[in-house]
Amino acid sequence: MISRFHFPGRLPAAGELELPDALAHHAVRVLRLREGERIVLFDGEGGEAEATLQVRGKAAWAQVEPRREVDRESPVHIVLVQALASGDKMDWVVQKAVELGASAIQPVQAERSVLRLVGERADKRQAHWQQVAVAACEQCGRNRIPEVRPLQPLAHWLAAHRDALSYVLAPGGAASFGEESAPQGAVHVLVGPEGGWSDAEMAAFDAAGCRRVRLGPRVLRTETAGLAAIAALQARWGDF
């Protein structure tokens, strides 16, 4: 399998291209790729190009072939609105959501979120999660990088998205995705933290016009529920 790397900025025309230090280090020092190996560079804007790796000491270049547009995006625009989860669960959720085809990930602070982030800590985690998304695109073949949006309180998100199509995953929800009509525009999937949504949050969802849905008769963990929902949406209206 040819190694893929995100090249920051739009790929230039075909020819010799010096690789950024971080990309060169990852290719040569971490993956131990050698002179003459084939790689793929993608720019995050929908384009990719095959290239041949050239190594010169600690630096690396690529002999790049013409850029081409390759679309591997889902026809259904899914935004995962994920309540903060503890430990490394958020890394897992971001990585797998990108692999499954989510268009964006919106972290929100919920009442029962164990993890609490503010200020610089929140900014650092967002930057880290964005890099997780980049790495997931390198692995899964996507040429457009989903945005991991800045963390915000759930109430703020709700206030700004009252007209959006939003599904709240809730055990005992009245409907399943199989009973819903094909979406026109973006679909927002809201997933609670380890302790679930509070009664006040559920009331706020109802007031905002969010739709309660269930994923079968079982109760799924926070790191499982959103991914299962994305897969279900992809199977019903996407490219699965």
Side-chain angles (χ1 to χ4, degrees), residues 168-173 175-177 189 191 212-221 224-233:
V168 180
L169 301 188
S176 67
F177 288 125
V189 177
V191 181
R212 299 192 188 194
V213 293
R214 63 182 184 275
L215 293 173
R218 294 161 297 280
V219 177
L220 304 182
R221 293 179 181 271
T224 307
L227 305 180
I230 295 172
L233 289 166

Side-chain angles (χ1 to χ4, degrees), residues 149-184:
R149 296 170 179 167
L151 172 68
Q152 58 179 301
L154 176 62
H156 292 183
W157 186 90
L158 274 176
H161 293 83
R162 287 187 172 272
D163 295 328
L165 174 57
S166 301
Y167 292 108
V168 180
L169 301 188
S176 67
F177 288 125
E179 302 166 30
E180 293 291 302
S181 302
Q184 304 296 319

Side-chain angles (χ1 to χ4, degrees), residues 41-206:
L41 301 176
F42 71 99
D43 56 18
E45 300 177 7
E48 68 179 24
E50 293 192 15
T52 301
L53 184 65
Q54 300 174 342
V55 183
R56 302 170 189 172
K58 294 184 178 181
W61 276 257
Q63 192 65 37
V64 182
E65 298 174 8
R67 179 186 184 275
R68 61 182 187 272
E69 291 282 337
V70 181
D71 183 14
R72 299 189 182 99
E73 296 304 297
S74 172
V76 57
H77 183 82
I78 304 169
V79 179
L80 177 62
V81 183
Q82 173 70 50
L84 284 183
S86 60
D88 60 358
K89 293 175 185 174
M90 288 296 294
D91 286 20
W92 167 269
V93 168
V94 170
Q95 180 188 72
K96 302 310 175 186
V98 171
E99 290 179 24
L100 289 169
S103 300
I105 296 97
Q106 173 64 70
V108 293
Q109 190 81 60
E111 286 186 29
R112 295 174 179 169
S113 292
V114 176
L115 180 63
R116 298 284 168 175
L117 296 174
V118 294
E120 185 177 352
R121 285 188 65 213
D123 294 340
K124 287 183 177 179
R125 295 309 293 173
Q126 179 199 358
H128 168 74
W129 293 326
Q130 189 64 65
Q131 286 307 306
V132 171
V134 170
C137 287
E138 291 179 336
Q139 182 276 323
C140 74
R142 293 181 68 173
N143 287 326
R144 294 189 182 276
I145 299 172
E147 179 188 10
V148 180
R149 296 170 179 167
L151 172 68
Q152 58 179 301
L154 176 62
H156 292 183
W157 186 90
L158 274 176
H161 293 83
R162 287 187 172 272
D163 295 328
L165 174 57
S166 301
Y167 292 108
V168 180
L169 301 188
S176 67
F177 288 125
E179 302 166 30
E180 293 291 302
S181 302
Q184 304 296 319
V187 179
H188 299 82
V189 177
L190 290 90
V191 181
E194 289 91 341
W197 302 113
S198 70
D199 291 342
E201 287 169 333
M202 292 304 298
F205 293 142
D206 291 341

